[in-house]
Structure formats: C-alpha cells, structure tokens
Amino acid sequence: MARSGAVAGVERGRPRDPGNDAAILDAALDLLIERGAAGTSIEAVAQRAGVAKLTVYRRWRSKEELLMAALEHARDPGLEAPPTAGRSLEELIGYVAELLGRPRFRALMARVIGASVDYPKLVTAYTERYLRPRIDALADVARRAVADGHLPPDTDPGVLQDVLAGSIGFVLLRGEEEVTPAEVERRLRTLLHHVGYRP
C-alpha cells in the first residue's frame, strides 16, 4: 500500500524543470561538438548547464543516454524530417544540400561518426532511430523517380542510396572547410546525372 501523500509510480519531490532539461541537452550537444563523445563528461555538462551533477543523473543514467537524448533534441523538425512518400527526388536534393550546408550539422555528424569505436551503442542508436528511416525512405523516392521517367527503368534503389550516402560522407570528410548548399547541390546533380537522372 502506498504511503500517505504518495502516488504509485510517481516520483516524489519537486517536479522537473523543463528549463533545466533544455539547458542540459544544449550543453551536452555543445560539448559533443566541441570535444567529441570521449571528451564530454556528466560533470562538464552540469557545469556548462549551470546545474548540479545530481540533476543530470536524475534524468539520464549514463553519458551515452544523455548524448543520445541531446542528439534527439538537436533535430530540426522543419528541415530534418525524413524524406517520406511525399518527397520527390528534386525535393530530396534540396533537403540534403541545405542540411549539409550547415557547419554545425556537419561538425555534429563528424563527432557521431568518430564515436563509433569507443561508443558503438551511441552510434547504433543514432543510426537506427535517425539515419536508417531516412536511408530506407530513399527506396520509395527512387521508385517514384523511375515511375515518373526521371531515372532509367532498371535503376536499383540501392544505387541512389549509395550516391547520396557517398556524397554526404565526402562533405563530412572536409571537416571545417566551408561548404555551401549550392556546392552540395551541384555535386549531387552531377552524380545523379551519371546514373541517368533527368529532372
């Protein structure tokens, strides 16, 4: 029987402050970009966010959980929504070009990739929750492009996935070098032209 004043399944004490949550996640994301996963600690996140270390641990049990939550927090719903059935290949080109034109996004992706050796669970979770749905959706984009006559009838959807993934990887490897959306778009269109894409 629950003690007087307590409700089963609800933690007693002061309610969580959403402002603290946002500050912690913003701090974790900033430190991930600046120092990488290995250089980010719960202590450093708490200090950057201006909260007690215990405040962070009450919300996330480990650094990996915190960093995963920070990556989820970083999503821009207006731009980073997956290329669903409503997107055309033309829209997808613009989507990828705009995303890769963001220095902060490129820096974040480089850090996530760099964490693959020491923090494989973080990378796996990010891949499964974020990247995989977007990569899988490319098959639908390719099929529509074939049906609309923009790609050859025998186009393998996997080819489109490889072209886009390769282009993204190429841009990420350029590190801090300035990359504009227009430059990314030109590269994508050139590569797609060579696999038979015609707008």
Side-chain angles (χ1 to χ4, degrees), residues 113-132:
I113 293 171
S116 60
V117 175
D118 296 322
Y119 297 91
K121 291 182 180 179
L122 173 66
V123 178
T124 297
Y126 188 73
T127 298
E128 293 304 316
R129 297 182 194 177
Y130 182 80
L131 295 180
R132 180 59 56 192

Side-chain angles (χ1 to χ4, degrees), residues 87-108:
R87 287 187 184 269
S88 67
L89 189 50
E90 280 295 304
E91 291 171 326
L92 185 61
I93 291 171
Y95 158 82
V96 174
E98 180 64 26
L99 197 58
L100 293 181
R102 296 181 173 189
R104 185 173 172 83
F105 176 80
R106 295 199 310 275
L108 178 59

Side-chain angles (χ1 to χ4, degrees), residues 18-131:
N20 280 348
D21 286 6
I24 292 167
L25 293 172
D26 286 339
L29 192 67
D30 287 343
L31 288 170
L32 175 61
I33 292 173
E34 293 170 16
R35 306 178 184 180
T40 299
S41 66
I42 296 289
E43 292 78 4
V45 169
Q47 183 176 14
R48 177 73 64 93
V51 301
K53 184 171 63 174
L54 183 59
T55 302
V56 181
Y57 277 115
R58 282 174 176 165
R59 290 157 169 77
W60 297 280
R61 292 174 296 180
S62 68
K63 182 170 75 172
E64 282 187 338
E65 285 188 7
L66 172 58
L67 291 178
M68 189 62 229
L71 290 171
E72 294 279 348
H73 177 68
R75 293 186 183 182
D76 180 348
L79 179 63
E80 297 184 24
T84 57
R87 287 187 184 269
S88 67
L89 189 50
E90 280 295 304
E91 291 171 326
L92 185 61
I93 291 171
Y95 158 82
V96 174
E98 180 64 26
L99 197 58
L100 293 181
R102 296 181 173 189
R104 185 173 172 83
F105 176 80
R106 295 199 310 275
L108 178 59
M109 289 300 94
R111 289 300 193 183
V112 171
I113 293 171
S116 60
V117 175
D118 296 322
Y119 297 91
K121 291 182 180 179
L122 173 66
V123 178
T124 297
Y126 188 73
T127 298
E128 293 304 316
R129 297 182 194 177
Y130 182 80
L131 295 180

